[in-house]
Amino acid sequence: MLPDEAPEHTPQGSDGDARALYRNLVERLPGYVYLDRADGTPVYVSPQVESVLGCTVAEWLGDTRAWVRFVHPDDLAWVDASYEQHRRDRLAWRSQYRVVRPDGEVRWVIDEAAAIFADNGEYVLTQGITMDVTELKTAQVELLHSEQRRRRALTQIVQAETAERARIANDLHDDTIQVMTAALIWLDRAAGSLGRGDSIAVDTAIGEIRRTLGLAMERTRRLAFEMRPQLLHAAGLGPAIRGLAEEVSRQAGFTVSVDVVNERYIEEVETLAYRVVREALVNSRKHSHATHVDVSVGRVGDHLRCLVSDDGRGLPASTAADQLLHFGLDSLREQVELAGGTIRIEGPEGEGVRVCCALPIRPAGRHPLLPVSPSANL
């Protein structure tokens, strides 16, 4: 029975009402219902075909193969073949494919059909329904991309943590462990001198041990200060970066000018900003041969901009700017990007090195990995 047909003897208020209810139900579905004869000739299609395909009911019924015209070219061959197999085998059919509307819009549909048989077993009709599932498909794709982004983020976090551990281990090896080794050597010398009764040599060794241990304490204190100074937690970026600049300036022998606005931000932003400035200053101390470094940290729109530039020798012409990142900024770059920020290094040979970072400023409570505006004026 077709939705727009009814026997002439159907009394109003019984089968007539049922027919009206059935038709109303069919035409409220989020997709279109269709009926085809056994030879493929269309018999009925509900009005929703226009909202899904952009095809009128008259156009559908006037073309034996109307629906084929809307199947995406990349899907047409296998969709058409599977539908024809359904008609031959008279089995239930279900397929998901793309359609292209006359305006060029591509949408996803799920098409389900079943064979209808007469009382004598003759195959007479195919009854089907085509549902627009574009929003569901889009959500599935976005969920997949979100999962891929999550996995990449976790991988980057692990890599960043590993790189940071390696940096700390290298600092301990290059500074503290070597100093402690020197102290042990002087202890052995002191013990030997004591055994020989050489009091002058013993006094000299003890003096060297005290000097070496003092140096170890100073370097350990500096490493702890650089990693997470209490001043950053207690007073914010301004005092922490000024203290860092004084420390590095004293060690390196160059002057440092600091321009930092005394404003508090969430912990993730302050920690990342501090670490970027710290690594840039350390790079200048170790590699630049600079005499002066400028440090500027402040809000630019909805981002916190950190700029560190020195007047050193810059990067060799044969060296790409990103190669400098292996000096400690490589792990930071991953963390900055995970936080939605950007970091850039410029260093024309003979013109110093310029490290610029922009971090999105978020309200307290927002997770550092949540998407933010990618724009930042560097």
Side-chain angles (χ1 to χ4, degrees):
M1 184 70 65
L2 305 183
D4 56 351
E5 295 178 347
E8 293 182 358
H9 62 274
T10 300
Q12 189 68 23
S14 54
D15 288 348
D17 288 345
R19 176 174 62 83
L21 288 172
Y22 175 64
R23 184 186 185 101
N24 185 59
L25 173 64
V26 166
E27 296 184 359
R28 286 179 177 272
L29 292 172
Y32 61 88
V33 174
Y34 60 89
L35 289 173
D36 293 343
R37 292 193 176 90
D39 63 0
T41 304
V43 178
Y44 169 80
V45 68
S46 62
Q48 296 96 309
V49 69
E50 186 163 0
S51 62
V52 176
L53 297 183
C55 171
T56 66
V57 172
E59 290 172 337
W60 179 280
L61 298 178
D63 185 349
T64 302
R65 301 274 289 168
W67 70 279
V68 174
R69 294 191 289 108
F70 297 95
V71 180
H72 193 285
D74 293 343
D75 299 342
L76 177 58
W78 66 265
V79 172
D80 193 20
S82 65
Y83 181 73
E84 289 303 314
Q85 184 175 355
H86 147 73
R87 292 181 58 246
R88 290 193 303 270
D89 298 341
R90 303 171 186 180
L91 298 176
W93 177 71
R94 187 178 191 275
S95 185
Q96 183 175 178
Y97 56 89
R98 290 165 294 176
V99 296
V100 183
R101 292 168 50 89
D103 59 5
E105 181 184 7
V106 177
R107 303 193 69 81
W108 281 91
V109 298
I110 290 180
D111 203 342
E112 298 189 42
I116 297 177
F117 300 90
D119 293 341
N120 61 4
E122 178 185 3
Y123 167 47
V124 292
L125 292 171
T126 287
Q127 177 176 309
I129 180 171
T130 303
M131 308 285 288
D132 187 336
V133 294
T134 304
E135 292 184 2
L136 175 61
K137 190 71 176 182
T138 301
Q140 290 174 340
V141 171
E142 178 57 32
L143 180 62
L144 176 61
H145 290 168
S146 176
E147 177 64 15
Q148 292 172 340
R149 289 194 299 268
R150 186 188 69 84
R151 291 184 179 183
R152 285 197 300 269
L154 289 177
T155 299
Q156 290 175 329
I157 288 173
V158 172
Q159 291 173 342
E161 181 180 359
T162 301
E164 181 65 10
R165 289 176 182 271
R167 187 192 70 82
I168 294 172
N170 288 334
D171 284 347
L172 288 173
H173 179 271
D174 293 343
D175 288 342
T176 307
I177 292 179
Q178 290 187 16
V179 171
M180 298 298 289
T181 301
L184 287 175
I185 292 174
W186 279 107
L187 277 173
D188 290 339
R189 291 180 180 178
S193 299
L194 186 62
R196 294 191 302 270
D198 189 346
S199 60
I200 296 177
V202 170
D203 290 342
T204 300
I206 291 175
E208 287 296 327
I209 291 171
R210 290 180 60 84
R211 185 188 68 80
T212 303
L213 290 178
L215 185 59
M217 292 175 60
E218 173 62 19
R219 291 182 174 179
T220 303
R221 184 196 65 79
R222 174 175 57 80
L223 180 60
F225 175 82
E226 289 180 354
M227 288 175 59
R228 177 62 179 173
Q230 292 299 315
L231 195 58
L232 176 62
H233 176 73
L237 274 174
I241 289 179
R242 291 187 185 93
L244 173 66
E246 291 175 3
E247 181 80 8
V248 175
S249 175
R250 182 178 61 81
Q251 296 169 8
F254 52 56
T255 59
V256 182
S257 298
V258 178
D259 180 14
V260 183
V261 177
N262 289 326
E263 183 177 355
R264 295 307 303 261
Y265 308 96
I266 62 173
E267 182 179 1
E268 291 86 353
V269 171
E270 289 190 343
T271 300
L272 273 178
Y274 178 85
R275 291 186 60 199
V276 168
V277 172
R278 180 196 69 193
E279 292 298 340
L281 284 172
V282 169
N283 280 334
S284 294
R285 174 171 61 86
K286 290 183 177 180
H287 309 290
S288 71
H289 295 183
T291 61
H292 183 78
V293 180
D294 286 305
V295 178
S296 174
V297 179
R299 181 192 292 264
V300 178
D302 58 353
H303 284 73
L304 181 67
R305 191 188 72 162
C306 307
L307 176 61
V308 181
S309 57
D310 63 47
D311 63 357
R313 59 185 178 181
L315 300 177
S318 60
T319 303
D322 278 353
Q323 288 183 276
L324 188 65
L325 291 175
H326 76 277
F327 293 137
L329 288 168
D330 51 351
S331 63
L332 275 181
R333 175 170 58 179
E334 293 175 349
Q335 295 180 43
V336 167
E337 290 175 351
L338 283 174
T342 58
I343 187 168
R344 188 175 73 233
I345 295 179
E346 300 170 347
E349 189 170 9
E351 299 182 18
V353 173
R354 185 173 184 265
V355 178
C356 192
C357 171
L359 296 167
I361 300 173
R362 303 184 183 88
R366 285 191 58 182
H367 193 280
L369 297 186
L370 289 178
V372 295
S373 170
S375 61
N377 296 322
L378 297 182

